Amino acid sequence: MRFNIKYEINKYKIYDEANKLICIVGKKLSSENKLAVICPDQDEEYWVVHGEGEFRIIGKKIKTIHCIVRYSSDAKGKKEAYWRPAMAEETEVIAGCRRLSVCQKRNRTFEILLNGRKAGEIRHMMSASKEMALENDIPEWYAGLIFAMAFFMLHDDDIEII
C-alpha cells in the first residue's frame, strides 16, 4: 500500500492510493508534545505523546503503551558534539505478537520493520508532501501511528535559534 501525506494547517492528512482519507495526525492548540491520531473509518482517536527519550501511546480504547527511543550516541540521548544533538535512530511498538520498529537514517528517510523484516518506508519527510509505503500485512490505521512517531523522531534533534 502506498500513502500520500499532505500538510494542512496544524495537521497532516494521510490518503491511500485511491485518494481516500485514512487518518489525520494533528496537533491541538492546547497540547505541546502530543499528536492526535484520528481514524475516521475506525471511529478511533488516540494520542502519541513525546516524552524524554520515550513515546507514550494513549487512547480511550487502548491501554497506555510505552516505547523507548534509541539515539545515535547512546540510550540517554547525550550529545554527539556541542553543535549537534544526538539523532533519534529507532523506536518500536509491541502490539500483540508483532514488533513494529520505526528507524530513521542519516538522510532522514525512515524504514519500517515488522518483526525485524523490512515492511515499509517513509520518504520526503523534509517536504510538504510525504510518501509512505507499507506492506499489506500492516493494518492501514497503523499509518497514523507510524507517521506520528517518525515526525517526532525527525524533529527530536532540532535546534532552536533565538
Side-chain angles (χ1 to χ4, degrees):
M1 294 179 287
R2 293 211 173 277
F3 300 97
N4 290 314
I5 305 165
K6 298 178 182 174
Y7 177 73
E8 290 185 10
I9 297 173
N10 288 333
K11 63 186 164 196
Y12 289 90
K13 290 187 174 182
I14 302 177
Y15 297 92
D16 66 4
E17 293 171 333
N19 211 24
K20 178 184 132 198
L21 180 67
I22 299 300
C23 64
I24 300 168
V25 178
K27 192 173 201 175
K28 296 196 177 173
L29 295 176
S30 62
S31 65
E32 291 184 18
N33 282 332
K34 290 185 197 177
L35 288 175
V37 180
I38 303 162
C39 303
D41 287 354
Q42 304 285 326
D43 193 30
E44 184 83 27
E45 179 177 0
Y46 57 93
W47 295 87
V48 177
V49 182
H50 183 230
E52 191 68 34
E54 71 166 359
F55 295 119
R56 287 188 324 272
I57 303 158
I58 303 167
K60 292 179 183 174
K61 297 180 183 177
I62 58 172
K63 65 178 187 169
T64 302
I65 301 171
H66 292 271
C67 312
I68 301 298
V69 179
R70 189 170 58 85
Y71 291 88
S72 57
S73 59
D74 66 357
K76 295 180 183 172
K78 293 182 181 174
K79 295 180 180 181
E80 293 176 345
Y82 290 115
W83 59 89
R84 185 177 69 208
M87 183 182 83
E89 280 188 342
E90 181 180 13
T91 189
E92 67 182 24
V93 178
I94 301 194
C97 59
R98 293 181 169 199
R99 183 175 44 116
L100 183 72
S101 302
V102 180
C103 306
Q104 179 176 204
K105 298 184 176 187
R106 281 274 175 210
N107 64 358
R108 303 299 186 172
T109 60
F110 288 82
E111 189 173 74
I112 314 304
L113 305 174
L114 185 63
N115 294 331
R117 175 184 55 84
K118 184 175 178 180
E121 65 182 355
I122 304 175
R123 292 179 293 169
H124 310 296
M125 279 295 283
M126 302 298 281
S127 66
S129 184
K130 299 150 185 22
E131 294 177 7
M132 181 187 305
L134 296 175
E135 288 190 358
N136 292 334
D137 53 348
I138 298 178
E140 280 185 342
W141 65 272
Y142 274 33
L145 169 67
I146 293 168
F147 176 73
M149 293 192 315
F151 179 84
F152 279 133
M153 289 173 69
L154 176 72
H155 294 290
D156 198 41
D157 59 348
D158 286 355
I159 299 172
E160 291 185 30
I161 298 175
I162 301 173

